[in-house]
């Protein structure tokens, strides 16, 4: 679940393609520039989020889904991992 200023979005963990660090200044629901770019099936470019603890968030995602793995500070689908 991603909470934004005015609404929440639920993304099924099985729909996640990748979660990578981003310092983009493009619009996103987070006020921080220390963000994660979440790309998921059905998204138009993904969403930028800013969890309190990025490393714990990434590890938790990988622990919750056998199809995801942590590679170089990002979470990717195992079938797309280098």
């Amino acid at each position: 679940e991603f909470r934004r200023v005015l609404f929440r979005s639920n993304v099924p963990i099985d729909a996640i393609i990748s979660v990578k660090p981003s310092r983009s200044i493009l619009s996103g629901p987070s006020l921080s520039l220390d963000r994660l770019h979440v790309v998921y099936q059905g998204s138009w470019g993904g969403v930028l989020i800013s969890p309190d603890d990025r490393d714990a968030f990434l590890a938790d995602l990988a622990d919750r889904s056998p199809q995801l793995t942590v590679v170089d500070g990002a979470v990717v689908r195992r079938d797309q991992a280098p």
Side-chain angles (χ1 to χ4, degrees):
E1 176 175 288
F2 301 110
R3 289 178 285 159
R4 299 179 187 181
V5 176
L6 299 174
F7 59 94
R8 294 176 184 215
S9 296
N10 290 316
V11 175
I13 198 163
D14 293 338
I16 294 174
I17 297 168
S18 67
V19 183
K20 299 179 179 178
S22 173
R23 295 198 49 82
S24 173
I25 60 172
L26 297 176
S27 177
S30 171
L31 297 176
S32 170
L33 286 180
D34 195 21
R35 302 173 178 181
L36 292 173
H37 183 215
V38 181
V39 176
Y40 56 96
Q41 295 169 348
S43 69
W44 291 70
V47 64
L48 294 169
I49 64 169
S50 183
D52 291 333
D53 185 338
R54 282 180 16 163
D55 293 334
F57 179 82
L58 294 172
D60 189 44
L61 279 179
D63 286 345
R64 289 176 184 247
S65 175
Q67 71 185 18
L68 298 174
T69 187
V70 178
V71 176
D72 297 327
V75 168
V76 296
R77 292 176 68 105
R78 289 186 187 277
D79 60 359
Q80 296 180 0

